[in-house]
Amino acid sequence: MSETTRRPTSETDVLVVRGGTPLQGTIRVRGAKNLVSKAMVASLLGDGVSRLYDVPEIRDVEVVRGLLELHGVRVSDGAEPGELVLDPANVESAHVDEINVHAGSSRIPILFCGPLLHRLGHAFIPDLGGCHIGPRPIDFHMHALRQFGAVVDKTPGGLHLTAPDGLRGTKLELPYPSVGATEQVLLTAVRAEGVTELRNAAVEPEIIDLICVLQKMGAIINVHTSRVIEIEGVPRLAGYAHRPIPDRIEAASWGAAALATGGQVEVVGARQADMTTFLNVFRSVGGAFEITDVAPPRDGHPGHEGGIRFWHPGGELRAVALETGVHPGFMTDWQQPLVVALTQARGLSIVHETVYEQRLGYTSALNTMGATIQTYRNCLGGTPCRFGRRNFHHSAVIAGPSKLYATDLVIPDLRAGFSHLIAALAAEGTSRVYGVDLINRGYEDFEAKLAALGAATERP
Ligand code: EPU
């Protein structure tokens, strides 16, 4: 059995999916997973209470909440559904054994370094988790922290950090515009002494939103052109109240699901500005969408939240060539759901994954279902990337259209898992999708949403 078809031991963590029914209906997305978790960490830096709205109930939020609580932050639910109130008045050291309960559960703990060093003078970071989509090193993070003056002791159990002389602003240039390393620098520099200049920074919308959170707290951050961010450290920060940007990965995933199943899904809360690159590709493939802008209540009209309606307009889908990349490029997390739709497009589609070196492994499961996808080590169809001429199958050619047939699937990681789910929904017959609980890490209430869209799924 291949990696993707081997069954995990838990027979309860399974979703039975009867495919072939177009998804039809309306769902809503809340705050972006990849902002919300970081904004929660930022609350550690403030002297006062922070309020974060529209927080989705997903596993990553639970992990960060648990870690914050271990460090003395009082986290409670606010009056509004999805509102979190974070009170850092009594930040304190946590016991290594208790922190280690969260080992391997998420990558967010690495972002606790700067805030804990500022608050406590020391930090312990457990082994990181997150999806297995490449080696995912933390060398940029470590280099940056050392430049700020942190002393890092790597032990087999985790990272011990201290800052014997405090943290001081510095000049840094990232070898690659890493999202996490940029966030690490922001969360450390805002309260470091002096000015920090970060070159080759990531500028994803989630990062700009984190900058908005930090600015609300009192930080001074300038985003210059050409990926340069300059941060003037301040001695104190206050709490914040923030409504995060919507989850553009989840929104695109449902859009791709609508296209792959020949259906129609309205994603309330989705925002065009953060998704223009996805929408261009969606249109090139032959998908249709309509954008509704937010309308505030006025003159007796109740107003509406706005969103994006995605649908398959009928006829054949068209093959495309695309390359994933840092913002404003096509997000690596949009790739897997869209590839399922590309199996239904006529011709040869090319996908060049340039962010993670091992993010195409999931395609072998799609081939088991009837897709024709070949992966290559070469940089196909675009500019050469840092993975070219190395032993990474990071380009794919998808020949379509291919009829998909049900099979038993094992979810390998979050985004690939959602793409497996889409494939099962698009396929003829009944699939059993194992390890489906992993999807709860990043997709709130996805089973209820599937039901609302008319999908025929059940827990055995
Ligand atoms: N990299 C290094 N060294 C480092 C850090 C990164 O070599 O110290 C490399 C990585 O190995 C990767 C590239 O830089 O090849 C980009 O990694 P990045 O640091 O940008 O990713 P991340 O911060 O770990 C976040 C999201 C990912 C998303 C990427 C890219 C969170 C929690 N995760 O990861 O989201 O794919 O940025 O946009 O924000 C997901 O939501 O499923 C997910 C994987």
Side-chain angles (χ1 to χ4, degrees):
M1 258 182 176
S2 75
E3 185 64 27
T4 42
T5 53
R6 197 182 304 132
R7 288 181 191 186
T9 44
S10 167
E11 287 290 328
T12 52
D13 186 9
V14 186
L15 193 68
V16 177
V17 179
R18 217 169 39 252
T21 310
L23 295 186
Q24 296 277 358
T26 301
I27 50 105
R28 183 174 181 275
V29 289
R30 298 218 265 184
K33 157 184 164 289
N34 291 347
L35 174 275
V36 163
S37 46
K38 286 76 179 270
M40 290 173 73
V41 179
S43 73
L44 264 175
L45 289 161
D47 289 336
V49 171
S50 290
R51 287 176 189 279
L52 190 58
Y53 301 99
D54 233 3
V55 176
E57 287 181 26
I58 52 174
R59 191 86 40 76
D60 267 19
V61 166
E62 275 171 38
V63 171
V64 180
R65 182 178 182 151
L67 273 174
L68 286 171
E69 286 173 340
L70 280 179
H71 287 93
V73 178
R74 267 196 26 224
V75 186
S76 52
D77 296 332
E80 190 181 302
E83 177 186 341
L84 276 190
V85 182
L86 305 119
D87 183 354
N90 298 308
V91 172
E92 58 187 11
S93 302
H95 197 277
V96 167
D97 293 343
E98 288 178 325
I99 298 176
N100 261 330
V101 169
H102 296 284
S105 52
S106 160
R107 298 193 66 75
I108 311 298
I110 192 70
L111 297 178
F112 277 68
C113 295
L116 286 181
L117 285 174
H118 283 303
R119 291 300 296 249
L120 301 170
H122 60 89
F124 171 72
I125 309 299
D127 274 348
L128 302 180
C131 294
H132 303 293
I133 49 182
R136 304 191 82 176
I138 52 166
D139 50 336
F140 306 166
H141 296 250
M142 294 301 102
H143 175 73
L145 287 161
R146 289 191 176 108
Q147 288 287 113
F148 280 109
V151 175
V152 186
D153 181 16
K154 280 191 193 173
T155 70
L159 298 172
H160 293 269
L161 296 103
T162 51
D165 302 318
L167 297 168
R168 291 172 311 280
T170 183
K171 281 191 177 214
L172 288 157
E173 176 156 3
L174 294 178
Y176 181 83
S178 149
V179 169
T182 300
E183 292 160 344
Q184 183 75 264
V185 170
L186 287 169
L187 290 166
T188 306
V190 281
R191 275 188 54 180
E193 197 189 316
V195 176
T196 297
E197 183 187 274
L198 177 64
R199 295 190 163 269
N200 205 24
V203 290
E204 267 61 11
E206 291 78 10
I207 287 182
I208 303 302
D209 211 33
L210 179 63
I211 290 175
C212 292
V213 168
L214 293 167
Q215 188 176 51
K216 283 174 173 169
M217 297 175 80
I220 302 172
I221 303 171
N222 287 298
V223 182
H224 299 295
T225 50
S226 317
R227 301 192 175 278
V228 177
I229 301 181
E230 194 183 63
I231 305 122
E232 276 179 49
V234 295
R236 302 180 84 85
L237 290 170
Y240 65 82
H242 190 71
R243 202 169 285 281
I245 59 165
D247 200 305
R248 64 195 177 119
I249 306 177
E250 183 181 357
S253 302
W254 290 113
L259 194 60
T261 62
Q264 171 167 206
V265 176
E266 182 179 12
V267 185
V268 174
R271 202 169 69 171
Q272 178 187 16
D274 312 321
M275 297 184 67
T276 52
T277 313
F278 177 81
L279 295 172
N280 287 335
V281 173
F282 193 81
R283 180 170 279 162
S284 303
V285 176
F289 60 87
E290 180 185 59
I291 290 149
T292 314
D293 289 330
V294 181
R298 196 170 37 207
D299 302 335
H301 295 288
H304 51 77
E305 205 178 341
I308 305 179
R309 185 166 66 92
F310 299 91
W311 74 97
H312 190 312
E316 280 202 330
L317 299 181
R318 296 180 289 273
V320 292
L322 73 88
E323 186 166 83
T324 66
V326 294
H327 188 74
F330 190 92
M331 287 186 93
T332 169
D333 307 278
W334 290 331
Q335 180 254 105
Q336 306 83 340
L338 193 78
V339 161
V340 183
L342 292 181
T343 66
Q344 304 309 304
R346 177 155 305 276
L348 296 179
S349 292
I350 297 173
V351 171
H352 180 203
E353 169 61 56
T354 76
V355 181
Y356 289 108
E357 54 272 62
Q358 288 167 26
R359 224 176 181 183
L360 293 173
Y362 73 95
T363 55
S364 61
L366 301 185
N367 284 341
T368 313
M369 300 177 79
T372 310
I373 305 174
Q374 177 80 45
T375 59
Y376 297 87
R377 290 189 186 87
N378 316 51
C379 300
L380 293 186
T383 34
C385 79
R386 64 211 157 103
F387 308 137
R389 295 173 187 276
R390 293 169 64 198
N391 204 20
F392 300 121
H393 284 250
H394 70 291
S395 295
V397 175
I398 303 128
S402 303
K403 191 162 171 50
L404 300 180
Y405 297 93
T407 189
D408 285 1
L409 294 157
V410 179
I411 283 190
D413 66 69
L414 180 60
R415 306 300 169 192
F418 200 84
S419 82
H420 283 5
L421 201 55
I422 298 174
L425 291 163
E428 184 183 301
T430 301
S431 300
R432 290 170 75 85
V433 186
Y434 290 84
V436 78
D437 285 345
L438 208 149
I439 294 184
N440 290 314
R441 258 198 59 215
Y443 294 85
E444 183 183 41
D445 228 356
F446 75 92
E447 286 179 64
K449 288 179 184 171
L450 283 173
L453 297 173
T457 64
E458 61 180 19
R459 292 277 180 167

